[in-house]
Amino acid sequence: QVQLVESGGGLVQAGGSLRLSCVASRRTFSNYPGGWFRQAPGKEREFVAGITTSGSSTYYADSVKGRFTISRDNAKNTVFLQMNSLKPEDTAVYYCAAEVTSDFRVGYWGQGTQVTVSA
């Protein structure tokens, strides 16, 4: 079992930035591809960004490309999501994920952190 704890959410104005962090409970976190998903009110959960075990490859949803950056520090069992140029439509609960497959199935979820972007 891997427990994931997110932090860094909050309220920000449009155009602003936030950095989300996700700390895993086990050192074996470095063996898992990681990712971030989000769920807006009334919508289904959607993929945002993914990263390979080493961090050498990353991939993004079209809606966040060029604005968001995913990274990881395996020595600290942590995955990050740097979010720049935030838009009101980025408002959602953001979930950290581990053991993310190529078809976006997820083995472990965090509890979520709220991100609210005001116009």
Side-chain angles (χ1 to χ4, degrees):
Q1 281 286 352
V2 176
Q3 293 183 331
L4 305 173
V5 179
E6 301 100 331
S7 62
L11 173 64
V12 65
Q13 288 188 331
S17 299
L18 283 174
R19 189 191 197 205
L20 305 183
S21 299
C22 171
V23 180
S25 61
R26 295 175 66 103
R27 293 182 186 177
T28 53
F29 179 64
S30 62
N31 295 334
Y32 300 121
W36 290 91
F37 292 69
R38 67 187 181 186
Q39 187 166 18
K43 295 187 177 181
E44 293 190 353
R45 194 172 298 188
E46 64 176 3
F47 169 78
V48 174
I51 189 166
T52 54
T53 54
S54 67
S56 59
S57 295
T58 58
Y59 44 105
Y60 300 91
D62 287 343
S63 58
V64 306
K65 277 181 184 176
R67 300 187 299 122
F68 290 12
T69 302
I70 188 172
S71 61
R72 69 191 299 162
D73 183 343
N74 285 337
K76 297 182 179 179
N77 299 332
T78 304
V79 173
F80 304 97
L81 185 68
Q82 177 67 43
M83 305 186 294
N84 299 328
S85 302
L86 282 161
K87 305 175 181 180
E89 51 264 44
D90 294 318
T91 294
V93 177
Y94 282 71
Y95 296 90
C96 178
E99 201 174 41
V100 181
T101 67
S102 58
D103 58 351
F104 305 127
R105 286 177 293 142
V106 174
Y108 303 98
W109 291 104
Q111 84 287 353
T113 185
Q114 177 70 46
V115 171
T116 303
V117 185
S118 62

